[in-house]
Amino acid sequence: MNPPAASTSALLSAFETHYTELIRYIARRTGNLEEARGLAHDTWLRIAERQGGAQDATPADPRAYLFTVSHNLAMNHLRRDQWMAGYLAECGQADAASPAQAPDVADTAMYRQALAVVEQALAGLAPRARDAYLACGLHGEKQADTAARLGVSLNTVERDIGQATRCIEDALHAWRHTPPAHARPKAAGRRRSLAALLGVFAVGATGTALWQHLQREARRFQTALSTLRGQRLQRSLPDGSELTLDAASRIEVDYDAAQRRVRLLDGAAFFAVRRDADRPFIVQARGVQVTVLGTRFGVEIDGGQGVLVQVESGRVRVDAWGRTQELGAGQGLRAHGGRTQLSDVARPAAWRQGEIAFDAVPLADALARVERYAPTPLRAAPGVAGLRISGKLRVADAGDWLASLPRVLPVRLKTLPDGGVEVAAR
């Protein structure tokens, strides 16, 4: 049963009062204190996102409502973990059941026939389309470089590659006597169609570069994720890794058979990476690249547009502006303006537990960080943007932190016509 509607302000006040008790309550159900802090933060977000305001009726028992919400979130979290554990167990059983030896004679004959069909389909393409497909797909040439070499636009190269891929699909469908992709429902996209075509073949040591490319395409996984202000997202990835996306953040995920690549475009993300020695996990953010095999770490684009890497366990390699550094558990690195700075981190990616820490950062950067959880825009006037501020706050106290700024800095708060708040000089 869903709890009845309640006053947002009353519930947030109850959250402040019972925060420690709430952590213990969730921890008893999950068996993990770190997960309990994260779920408590999710509880606060769920309440803060309510449409109602302080004028709504006050609940008879705000504490009971608060604990009901946290209980539901904890149960959903446990169900998701159980599902993932079952999924990974099934994957492990399937891998164990797969034969490790080379394909038998029948499989090898089928493989060679399929490869001949693909080569014939490529031979029937227009020379430019075939050149573009082989250059980008087999030899790893960037599409922009291919376009410049052929003297055509990037859109033309993308169109030629798409045409080549469709021709290969149609040829394999004809060989297998199955309906072509355009004859099936639209939900079965190119990646699923190609995966279905190639999934029936055993690939042995006689495989060619072309076949390896098609196999990589069949295992490809791509997605783009984003969050709104005050919202946080947790997602399980196909390899068993876990992704936690902070508020007001954007990320792109691109997996293939050779590597797992993620691009952080805005905000912050935390990764619990499942080890795979054959496929490194790579995170890119504003010219900084983080490479791991299996570990837990966070990457953040801060308010000053620097990149912050913090490691909770394991080791990562950070490549920034031609320099490579390795980080271990409890270490952090900030890369900005061509420079890198190492530091010790007591609680990596503390935003997962609803906390934000500042260490002599410009006021404009601090406001940009807090703004991810604020209901309205926060800005710093040019005259005070460079003032340095330090401290730690809970996301739940962001409003109180903003109201306290005039007591610690020579500033005043000004409400703007668009509903935002500007911090200006007194």
Side-chain angles (χ1 to χ4, degrees):
M1 177 186 298
N2 293 327
S7 164
T8 301
S9 60
L11 291 171
L12 292 177
S13 177
F15 181 90
E16 290 296 314
T17 303
H18 302 290
Y19 177 77
T20 302
E21 182 184 0
L22 185 68
I23 293 293
R24 291 198 298 266
Y25 174 81
I26 301 174
R28 285 197 297 270
R29 278 146 183 80
T30 63
N32 188 303
L33 184 59
E34 290 300 315
E35 289 182 354
R37 292 193 179 101
L39 290 169
H41 177 56
D42 288 346
T43 301
W44 183 89
L45 290 177
R46 187 68 60 87
I47 295 171
E49 289 172 353
R50 288 171 47 82
Q51 297 298 318
Q55 68 274 15
D56 295 336
T58 302
D61 191 347
R63 178 184 177 279
Y65 181 94
L66 175 69
F67 277 68
T68 299
V69 172
S70 65
H71 173 81
N72 291 340
L73 289 173
M75 293 303 101
N76 289 339
H77 176 78
L78 292 174
R79 281 192 290 269
R80 185 176 66 249
D81 283 353
Q82 291 171 357
W83 178 89
M84 179 55 64
Y87 169 77
L88 293 176
E90 290 178 2
C91 291
Q93 292 172 0
D95 291 341
S98 300
Q101 66 273 16
D104 60 22
V105 175
D107 288 336
T108 300
M110 181 179 293
Y111 161 64
R112 292 185 181 280
Q113 290 174 11
L115 184 58
V117 169
V118 172
E119 291 175 340
Q120 184 177 2
L122 286 172
L125 291 172
R128 189 187 67 199
R130 182 170 60 251
D131 187 353
Y133 183 82
L134 294 176
C136 297
L138 294 182
H139 305 301
E141 186 176 62
K142 295 181 179 179
Q143 293 184 7
D145 295 339
T146 302
R149 179 171 55 81
L150 297 177
V152 297
S153 68
L154 181 59
N155 288 338
T156 299
V157 170
E158 293 175 347
R159 187 165 56 249
D160 287 345
I161 293 174
Q163 177 189 357
T165 302
R166 286 191 296 272
C167 287
I168 293 172
E169 285 186 2
D170 290 344
L172 287 171
H173 277 295
W175 173 65
R176 290 190 61 200
H177 304 289
T178 56
H182 51 74
R184 301 196 315 277
K186 292 184 178 180
R190 179 177 69 82
R191 179 176 65 85
R192 292 184 181 178
S193 172
L194 194 53
L197 287 169
L198 303 178
V200 298
F201 305 123
V203 180
T206 58
T208 65
L210 175 59
W211 194 258
Q212 291 169 356
H213 165 65
L214 295 177
Q215 188 187 35
R216 284 197 300 270
E217 286 296 307
R219 293 181 63 186
R220 199 172 191 95
F221 169 82
Q222 294 176 309
T223 189
L225 304 171
S226 62
T227 52
L228 302 175
R229 287 182 185 172
Q231 180 187 31
R232 199 176 71 173
L233 175 68
Q234 289 182 304
R235 180 65 58 88
S236 298
L237 299 177
D239 63 333
S241 299
E242 295 283 340
L243 163 68
T244 304
L245 198 60
D246 194 18
S249 301
R250 293 188 301 132
I251 202 166
E252 294 177 350
V253 181
D254 186 356
Y255 278 25
D256 62 27
Q259 64 183 8
R260 301 167 288 174
R261 187 174 295 273
V262 175
R263 290 183 61 218
L264 180 63
L265 305 176
D266 288 301
F270 185 84
F271 307 92
V273 178
R274 185 178 179 86
R275 182 177 179 83
D276 187 343
D278 296 327
R279 289 200 300 171
F281 192 98
I282 300 171
V283 180
Q284 295 176 317
R286 297 191 179 277
V288 176
Q289 179 168 295
V290 185
T291 305
V292 303
L293 290 178
T295 186
R296 295 171 58 87
F297 68 102
V299 181
E300 177 176 346
I301 299 175
D302 61 23
Q305 299 302 295
V307 176
L308 182 64
V309 181
Q310 296 180 333
V311 182
E312 182 175 278
S313 64
R315 299 191 67 81
V316 307
R317 187 184 74 229
V318 181
D319 295 290
W321 304 297
R323 294 191 297 274
T324 299
Q325 293 176 278
E326 286 196 3
L327 305 181
Q331 289 186 306
L333 178 146
R334 184 175 187 266
H336 181 61
R339 299 180 179 180
T340 59
Q341 180 180 0
L342 290 170
S343 63
D344 293 328
V345 183
R347 299 182 64 185
W351 52 265
R352 291 175 296 151
Q353 288 80 46
E355 292 184 357
I356 306 174
F358 302 122
D359 184 10
V361 302
L363 178 60
D365 296 355
L367 290 174
R369 185 67 181 86
V370 175
E371 187 183 30
R372 295 181 193 170
Y373 302 95
T376 57
L378 304 179
R379 307 168 192 167
V384 300
L387 294 176
R388 298 282 171 170
I389 187 168
S390 299
K392 182 172 67 175
L393 71 135
R394 292 224 309 266
V395 171
D397 300 329
D400 294 337
W401 174 84
L402 184 65
S404 70
L405 288 180
R407 295 196 294 271
V408 296
L409 295 174
V411 299
R412 60 186 177 89
L413 304 184
K414 177 182 177 182
T415 302
L416 301 175
D418 63 359
V421 176
E422 181 183 66
V423 181
R426 276 205 290 255

